[in-house]
């Protein structure tokens, strides 16, 4: 984009428009939680996805509703990009009965089985093996479905990731390992967690095709996702994709964890540097430069997405809370 | 006649697997050593030849990932049975079993059930020491979202395995190699033993002995000795330890007024403590004597045979306990 994207330039216009809308939709939805969190209206821990939108949107655009996705603690973007209902997600984060998990899960347990979002969970690396199993199910049934596991750089410290890569490679399972490298595992900069910073190299000893891409370039992510999906469907999985990206907010909540604040983690210049590489801003520049969308159309999209977010918040606020008498509903043993 | 056909405990499990896999293409078996009698005895014999490597999957030594894969496959609509040839190895898999499988249905508001069987084999004795002898049923039973079954007989082993596979929620199925050679008539047809239902395996009026798994057999042995002395023991086989068949236990204690709880697990916060607490809460008035627990001591399993003999409980301990409250 602006010359820094080397991918296929013959994308259908509606696809490009949809990339923009979806990234914007996620960003506006995420940022709309800041106020309710600060006001004490939303209590459950929210790990905001702002800044990483291109990864979820690019990968999920390469999938169909029949393909499977598993998320992690920071999965608002994955859920929305896979086609989950925004109303149900916002209601879940407000812990309402109308939420996608009926107020039993909160921000970290988002699920939409109808569109292949089989769930998310905050045990770091805990859902990688679940995606492995979904890919195994696809292989046993020979139904051509692909499973995607989204995890962060922090998950590379967990042994189960390596167990999963080994088995996936051994059985050539249709699974795409998508590592969202945002350079921080909660408060720990990657340099304090790993000897090497090149995460994509960890898949190579298993014979897994692996690459590192600009995770803030939605077209690069889409191209990598499409290639990985094709390989997996042809029985030549798995594939590993490391997406370099950055979260604007801190690990949890709206705090930006900037140095000098009470969390005291990230240099201000680093955050500003990544703001320059903002996936939405860059893509909007590309769309106008290529005359795919006008500034007016971009503004209209923003207004439309804002309306959807406002509607979702209204829906959540007027939705009933779970009833205390139903504490043990969904308990079977 | 099929009703007279005898089958060993291990082959009863094998038959359950053959029949459910033949009836339902979504059932598959995954785990360490499924093609090796060294690991799983004869419980898996003939499965690989009949169903192929797609559905009988011997795995690398990766308990965490393999168990998680079974959970993920269940979420994607399959009915996996994941076997751990020793319960001890399941510690590596506690995250997928407890954090993921047990919680998934509740924490997602009932959106997606997890029809998976976690099959753990107790393989103790023979001077195998602390990490090749454990049974963790009490730990599993404490977790909301796991059903836990422990068959004591070939009939129940087949019926509970079939029920566990058909159950839409996660079931921990724990069997015991000490029972593998036990034989009795087992129906040839496919049938279920209902999860959550215990069984009075020997009626009596004097003392209730509640037991599960291998300790049921020791309890029956004790009852047979005691009846010669005119003491009639009622042996209750729990079969399922979560959810407990509370009414069956309470009804027996209402009748006898005396209770010995026998468990092959540790003492502190264990199954025996749970049964004992249940009775003291809900049948206190019926008790004519204090409840006695026969459990493993709070001690790791030793190697030396002399120490093993001191460690494991037998019919002798049960007889002594029954007499102590008469």
């Amino acid at each position: 984009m602006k010359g820094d994207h080397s991918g296929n330039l013959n994308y259908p216009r509606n696809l490009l428009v949809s990339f923009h809308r979806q990234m914007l939709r996620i960003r506006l939805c995420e940022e709309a939680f800041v106020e309710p969190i600060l006001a004490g209206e939303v209590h459950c821990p929210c790990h905001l996805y702002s800044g990483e939108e291109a990864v979820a949107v690019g990968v999920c655009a390469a999938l169909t509703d029949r393909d499977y996705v598993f998320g992690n603690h920071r999965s608002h973007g994955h859920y929305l990009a896979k086609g989950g209902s925004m109303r149900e997600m916002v209601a879940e984060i407000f812990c309402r009965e109308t939420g996608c998990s009926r107020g039993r899960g909160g921000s970290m347990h988002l699920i939409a089985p109808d569109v292949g979002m089989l769930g998310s969970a905050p045990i770091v690396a805990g859902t990688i093996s679940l995606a492995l199993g979904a890919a195994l199910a696809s292989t046993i049934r020979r139904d051509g479905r692909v499973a995607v596991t989204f995890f962060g750089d922090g998950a590379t410290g967990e042994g189960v990731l390596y167990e999963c890569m080994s088995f996936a490679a051994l059985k050539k399972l249709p699974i795409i390992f998508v590592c969202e490298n945002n350079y921080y595992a909660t408060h720990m900069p990657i340099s304090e967690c790993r000897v090497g910073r090149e995460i994509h190299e960890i898949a190579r000893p298993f014979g897994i095709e692996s690459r590192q891409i600009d995770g803030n370039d939605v077209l690069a992510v889409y191209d990598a996702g499409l290639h990985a999906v094709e390989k997996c469907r042809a029985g030549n999985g798995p594939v590993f994709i490391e997406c370099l990206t950055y979260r604007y907010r801190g690990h949890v909540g709206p705090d930006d964890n900037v140095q000098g604040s009470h969390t005291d983690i990230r240099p201000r210049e680093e955050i500003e540097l990544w703001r320059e590489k903002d996936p939405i801003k860059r893509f909007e520049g590309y769309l106008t430069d290529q005359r795919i969308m006008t500034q007016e159309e971009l503004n209209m999209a923003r207004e439309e997405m804002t309306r959807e977010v406002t509607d979702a918040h209204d829906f959540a606020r007027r939705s009933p809370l779970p009833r205390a008498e139903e504490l043990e509903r969904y308990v079977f043993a | 006649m099929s009703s007279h056909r005898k089958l060993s405990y291990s082959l009863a499990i094998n038959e359950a697997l053959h029949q459910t896999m033949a009836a339902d293409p979504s059932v598959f078996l995954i785990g360490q050593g499924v093609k090796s009698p060294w690991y799983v005895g004869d419980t898996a014999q003939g499965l690989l030849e009949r169903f192929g490597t797609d559905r009988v999957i011997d795995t690398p030594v990766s308990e965490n990932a393999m168990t998680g894969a079974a959970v993920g496959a269940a979420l994607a609509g399959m009915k996996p049975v994941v076997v751990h040839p020793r319960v001890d190895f399941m510690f590596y898999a506690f995250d997928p079993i407890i954090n993921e499988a047990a919680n998934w249905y509740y924490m997602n508001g009932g959106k997606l059930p997890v029809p998976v069987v976690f099959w753990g084999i107790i393989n103790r004795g023979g001077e195998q020491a602390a990490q090749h002898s454990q049974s963790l049923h009490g730990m599993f039973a404490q977790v909301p979202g796991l059903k836990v079954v422990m068959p004591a007989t070939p009939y129940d082993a087949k019926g509970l395995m079939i029920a566990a596979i058909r159950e839409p929620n996660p079931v921990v199925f724990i069997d015991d190699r000490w029972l593998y050679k036990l034989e009795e008539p087992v129906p040839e047809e496919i049938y279920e033993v209902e999860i959550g239902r215990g069984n009075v395996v020997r009626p009596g009026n004097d003392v209730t002995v509640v037991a599960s798994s291998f300790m049921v057999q020791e309890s029956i042995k004790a009852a047979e000795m005691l009846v010669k002395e005119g003491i009639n023991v009622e042996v209750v086989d729990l079969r399922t330890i979560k959810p407990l068949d509370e009414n069956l236990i309470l009804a027996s204690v209402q009748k006898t007024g005396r209770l010995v709880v026998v468990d092959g697990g540790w003492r502190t916060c264990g199954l025996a403590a749970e049964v004992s607490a249940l009775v003291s809460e809900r049948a206190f008035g019926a008790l004519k004597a204090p409840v006695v627990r026969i459990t493993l001591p709070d001690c790791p399993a030793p190697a030396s045979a002399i120490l093993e003999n001191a460690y494991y409980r037998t019919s002798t301990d049960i007889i002594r306990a029954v007499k102590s409250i008469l």
Side-chain angles (χ1 to χ4, degrees):
Chain A
M1 299 181 290
K2 288 187 176 171
D4 67 349
H5 174 69
S6 55
N8 170 13
L9 291 174
N10 299 315
Y11 304 100
R13 181 180 186 275
N14 61 358
L15 188 68
L16 298 172
V17 169
S18 131
F19 287 166
H20 173 250
R21 290 170 65 93
Q22 293 210 53
M23 288 198 291
L24 198 55
R25 185 169 176 258
I26 294 169
R27 172 72 57 85
L28 294 172
C29 190
E30 289 298 71
E31 292 302 307
F33 288 120
V34 170
E35 217 171 289
I37 293 170
L38 293 175
E41 202 182 358
V42 164
H43 299 279
C44 77
C46 289
H47 304 78
L48 299 173
Y49 196 67
S50 298
E52 302 188 12
E53 296 87 350
V55 179
V57 169
V59 170
C60 291
L63 305 172
T64 74
D65 282 357
R66 299 179 73 245
D67 295 315
Y68 300 122
V69 160
F70 284 89
N72 51 57
H73 55 288
R74 192 180 309 285
S75 273
H76 299 177
H78 308 138
Y79 168 94
L80 290 173
K82 192 70 174 69
S85 146
M86 186 191 288
R87 274 185 160 196
E88 286 194 30
M89 183 183 95
V90 175
E92 188 57 40
I93 290 162
F94 277 74
C95 288
R96 303 296 163 128
E97 185 65 31
T98 53
C100 61
S101 295
R102 308 282 178 252
R104 271 75 172 173
S107 158
M108 300 187 288
H109 298 295
L110 302 174
I111 189 165
D114 293 347
V115 291
M117 175 68 190
L118 295 191
S120 54
I123 300 298
V124 172
T127 57
I128 299 173
S129 62
L130 306 187
L132 182 78
L136 181 64
S138 163
T139 302
I140 295 172
R141 291 192 296 241
R142 295 189 166 81
D143 61 14
R145 297 183 201 216
V146 171
V148 173
T149 166
F150 287 104
F151 54 91
D153 45 292
T156 63
E158 297 283 2
V160 71
L161 169 61
Y162 304 86
E163 293 182 24
C164 289
M165 287 195 289
S166 170
F167 190 73
L170 188 70
K171 302 287 181 186
K172 295 191 183 305
L173 296 183
I175 176 172
I176 307 172
F177 296 91
V178 180
C179 178
E180 296 174 308
N181 180 1
N182 63 21
Y183 299 92
Y184 288 87
T186 64
H187 64 293
M188 286 276 276
I190 192 167
S191 57
E192 293 178 32
C193 298
R194 300 180 53 79
V195 174
R197 289 181 60 157
E198 301 297 319
I199 287 175
H200 60 106
E201 288 177 357
I202 66 174
R204 300 230 166 89
F206 300 97
I208 297 175
E209 180 184 302
S210 178
R211 60 209 282 206
Q212 183 184 63
I213 60 169
D214 178 351
N216 280 16
D217 176 349
V218 69
L219 297 179
V221 177
Y222 176 67
D223 288 349
L226 213 52
H227 169 75
V229 168
E230 279 167 12
K231 274 204 80 168
C232 285
R233 289 213 211 285
N236 298 317
V239 177
F240 191 105
I241 306 171
E242 178 192 5
C243 301
L244 298 177
T245 187
Y246 197 76
R247 52 168 153 80
Y248 293 145
R249 302 285 175 178
H251 167 63
V252 62
D255 191 306
D256 58 9
N257 293 171
V258 73
Q259 282 176 356
S261 73
H262 74 290
T263 42
D264 197 27
I265 296 168
R266 309 189 295 184
R268 187 172 299 281
E269 310 79 67
E270 181 183 280
I271 302 175
E272 280 160 12
L273 198 70
W274 279 96
R275 288 270 180 199
E276 294 298 305
K277 298 195 267 186
D278 184 279
I280 299 172
K281 197 166 81 180
R282 284 167 70 193
F283 194 57
E284 288 185 342
Y286 168 82
L287 290 173
T288 49
D289 283 0
Q290 300 290 318
R291 299 178 192 284
I292 295 160
M293 287 179 82
T294 63
Q295 190 57 48
E296 194 184 344
E297 285 170 323
L298 294 178
N299 294 346
M300 280 169 62
R302 184 171 289 267
E303 282 165 26
E304 194 186 328
M305 296 300 120
T306 304
R307 279 196 298 276
E308 190 190 355
V309 172
T310 306
D311 166 77
H313 280 252
D314 290 346
F315 173 77
R317 288 192 174 96
R318 67 171 187 264
S319 287
L321 293 160
R323 296 176 338 131
E325 310 84 82
E326 293 195 341
L327 169 68
E328 294 187 28
R329 195 173 167 188
Y330 312 116
V331 173
F332 47 82
Chain B
M1 282 296 291
S2 69
S3 59
H4 298 298
R5 191 275 313 249
K6 281 193 171 180
L7 213 52
S8 70
Y9 182 99
S10 53
L11 287 176
I13 292 170
N14 180 247
E15 190 163 274
L17 294 169
H18 270 280
Q19 291 179 340
T20 46
M21 288 181 74
D24 183 349
S26 64
V27 179
F28 72 97
L29 177 65
I30 181 169
Q32 219 179 100
V34 294
K35 61 180 186 186
S36 165
W38 188 27
Y39 282 92
V40 295
D42 51 12
T43 55
Q45 76 179 23
L47 294 172
L48 186 62
E49 297 76 3
R50 185 170 174 192
F51 300 105
T53 50
D54 273 3
R55 290 174 66 201
V56 182
I57 306 167
D58 206 334
T59 72
V61 189
S62 305
E63 288 88 353
N64 187 345
M66 295 303 97
T67 308
V71 176
L75 291 169
M78 301 294 284
K79 290 180 188 158
V81 178
V82 55
V83 62
H84 293 273
R86 291 179 187 280
V87 174
D88 314 70
F89 303 163
M90 294 172 87
F91 278 113
Y92 268 133
F94 265 34
D95 183 64
I97 296 172
I98 296 171
N99 265 326
E100 315 299 350
N103 286 328
W104 210 263
Y105 186 75
Y106 186 92
M107 74 188 180
N108 289 296
K111 277 277 172 71
L112 204 55
V114 192
V116 60
V117 179
F118 303 112
W119 172 15
I121 303 175
I122 302 170
N123 191 348
R124 53 175 51 157
E127 303 195 328
Q128 297 185 86
Q131 295 180 345
H132 272 36
S133 305
Q134 296 165 103
S135 175
L136 308 176
H137 54 279
M139 289 187 189
F140 289 124
Q142 215 205 359
V143 178
L146 294 177
K147 296 187 173 185
V148 184
V149 302
M150 296 185 87
T153 66
Y155 180 91
D156 288 347
K158 178 174 172 182
L160 281 171
M161 179 57 92
I162 291 166
I165 292 169
R166 289 176 173 175
E167 163 73 34
N169 300 302
V171 178
V172 179
F173 178 102
I174 296 180
D175 59 2
D176 190 325
R177 294 280 290 239
W178 280 349
L179 291 164
Y180 271 24
K181 297 292 170 216
L182 187 70
E183 277 196 3
E184 71 175 0
V186 173
E188 286 179 35
E189 65 268 20
I190 200 160
Y191 65 91
E192 287 183 39
V193 167
E194 190 185 345
I195 294 173
R197 286 270 173 272
N199 193 20
V200 174
V201 290
R202 188 186 168 93
N205 295 312
D206 298 328
V207 177
T208 297
V209 172
V210 170
S212 52
S213 190
F214 178 76
M215 295 315 288
V216 171
Q217 299 302 335
E218 288 298 302
S219 300
I220 291 170
K221 218 184 283 177
E224 284 166 356
M225 302 289 284
L226 286 163
V227 77
K228 292 174 191 160
E229 301 179 39
I231 301 167
N232 285 304
V233 167
E234 176 149 297
V235 179
V236 175
D237 174 3
L238 292 174
R239 300 200 288 196
T240 293
I241 69 164
K242 178 81 171 280
L244 270 180
D245 191 344
E246 298 182 349
N247 292 335
L248 188 75
I249 298 166
L250 294 169
S252 180
V253 174
Q254 293 288 355
K255 182 171 70 173
T256 63
R258 293 181 169 86
L259 174 64
V260 173
V261 194
V262 188
D263 182 32
W266 291 302
R267 191 170 187 82
T268 301
C269 299
L271 173 60
E274 181 61 34
V275 173
S276 171
L278 168 77
V279 168
S280 67
E281 277 178 348
R282 298 195 25 212
F284 186 72
L287 286 174
K288 298 171 195 161
V291 175
V292 181
R293 285 182 287 166
I294 300 290
T295 65
L296 294 180
D298 285 332
C299 171
S304 156
I306 288 177
L307 298 176
E308 275 188 332
N309 286 338
Y311 185 66
Y312 293 112
R313 300 298 181 245
T314 65
S315 54
T316 312
D317 300 291
I318 300 167
I319 290 167
R320 198 178 301 130
V322 167
K323 287 182 174 173
S324 77
I325 53 170
L326 275 170

